[in-house]
Amino acid sequence: DAGVIQSPRHEVTEMGQEVTLRCKPISGHNSLFWYRQTMMRGLELLIYFNNNVPIDDSGMPEDRFSAKMPNASFSTLKIQPSEPRDSAVYFCASSSQDGGGQPQHFGDGTRLSIL
Amino acid sequence: SQQGEEDPQALSIQEGENATMNCSYKTSINNLQWYRQNSGRGLVHLILIRSNEREKHSGRLRVTLDTSKKSSSLLITASRAADTASYFCAGISSGSARQLTFGSGTQLTVLP
């Protein structure tokens, strides 16, 4: 079975540019999560979706960040305009729907560097 | 706020030894999960223990949960060099359905 697929794996861009990160969750999973990982702050939940609907976006740091899930097999995280402090590894994860909290399956992340 | 805090932050042992990592959390939980992260990769789920369980085993892994102390431990027996990774605990709070809150992790190094 294919796991969670993220693209690109690496992104280097100049500040002010728009950045779009992509995620394909595991087929059949109803919940999708976007995380950011940095040395200083560890792993932070940015937003999660259930059945393609955003449930909690309280972790999204600023209005420059937006996320969409147009269908069950695709999600994007967009940063516009990007800033150097956005540099981090961004992970997408998915899980099957369960009120008790099922294990999450992570992609290998997008390493983002904003110059 | 972080639901889980791992201790120690870093641990270095010889191959064949046991490794114990501890996790403390702040609020009541439905379940607690342990994940492993190899360098440059995503997190991989290891084991889940529910709030009404006290101990769980999976291969060389043993997890305990003490809800009265709000703590959990992960024991890896007969460690191997391939166990070198960061280990995270993460809790699902009683009040939320699907949000995991991760600790800062323990970096385990197993020396051959």
Side-chain angles (χ1 to χ4, degrees), chain B residues 75-90:
Chain B
L75 168 67
I76 304 174
T77 60
S79 63
R80 306 166 182 169
D83 295 330
T84 295
S86 291
Y87 291 82
F88 296 86
C89 68

Side-chain angles (χ1 to χ4, degrees), chain A:
Chain A
D1 286 342
V4 174
I5 299 172
Q6 291 186 246
S7 64
R9 287 297 312 276
H10 303 273
E11 175 88 14
V12 181
T13 191
E14 293 184 347
M15 66 177 293
Q17 297 297 307
E18 178 179 292
V19 173
T20 300
L21 311 181
R22 297 173 177 79
C23 175
K24 177 179 170 56
I26 291 174
S27 177
H29 281 187
N30 301 82
S31 296
L32 183 139
F33 308 81
W34 281 101
Y35 292 90
R36 178 173 68 178
Q37 187 177 39
T38 61
M39 289 293 292
M40 291 295 293
R41 300 175 67 87
L43 198 64
E44 304 172 280
L45 176 67
L46 300 177
I47 185 172
Y48 81 91
F49 295 82
N50 188 43
N51 293 325
N52 312 338
V53 176
I55 302 300
D56 185 352
D57 65 354
S58 59
M60 298 285 263
E62 299 173 33
D63 291 345
R64 298 184 296 106
F65 286 69
S66 62
K68 295 182 180 179
M69 192 165 186
N71 57 62
S73 60
F74 183 66
S75 177
T76 59
L77 177 68
K78 187 172 293 186
I79 309 172
Q80 167 63 18
S82 58
E83 297 183 3
R85 59 192 167 128
D86 302 331
S87 298
V89 182
Y90 291 80
F91 288 102
C92 176
S94 69
S95 70
S96 57
Q97 183 175 5
D98 176 49
Q102 286 295 306
Q104 294 183 14
H105 300 258
F106 283 73
D108 280 335
T110 295
R111 184 172 294 276
L112 178 63
S113 297
I114 307 297
L115 306 177

Side-chain angles (χ1 to χ4, degrees), chain B residues 46-61:
Chain B
L46 295 176
I47 195 166
L48 181 155
I49 187 165
R50 300 195 185 279
S51 59
N52 61 353
E53 297 176 310
R54 292 296 169 259
E55 187 171 312
K56 203 162 184 179
H57 296 254
S58 177
R60 293 185 296 112
L61 305 181

Side-chain angles (χ1 to χ4, degrees), chain B:
Chain B
S1 62
Q2 290 179 325
Q3 177 65 289
E5 288 293 337
E6 291 87 349
D7 170 57
Q9 289 188 339
L11 179 62
S12 184
I13 60 173
Q14 293 293 135
E15 203 164 27
E17 294 180 339
N18 295 341
T20 300
M21 288 160 274
N22 302 299
C23 168
S24 59
Y25 56 92
K26 297 175 183 174
T27 62
S28 296
I29 58 168
N30 280 337
N31 68 58
L32 188 135
Q33 303 179 26
W34 284 90
Y35 288 77
R36 183 188 74 219
Q37 184 179 29
N38 290 86
S39 180
R41 304 297 299 273
L43 280 72
V44 174
H45 178 262
L46 295 176
I47 195 166
L48 181 155
I49 187 165
R50 300 195 185 279
S51 59
N52 61 353
E53 297 176 310
R54 292 296 169 259
E55 187 171 312
K56 203 162 184 179
H57 296 254
S58 177
R60 293 185 296 112
L61 305 181
R62 172 177 169 255
V63 169
T64 62
L65 180 65
D66 187 335
T67 52
S68 66
K69 296 181 180 179
K70 291 187 169 59
S71 67
S72 174
S73 68
L74 171 67
L75 168 67
I76 304 174
T77 60
S79 63
R80 306 166 182 169
D83 295 330
T84 295
S86 291
Y87 291 82
F88 296 86
C89 68
I92 290 275
S93 296
S94 299
S96 66
R98 300 172 186 84
Q99 290 190 53
L100 278 176
T101 307
F102 286 85
S104 53
T106 292
Q107 173 60 51
L108 173 67
T109 302
V110 181
L111 303 169

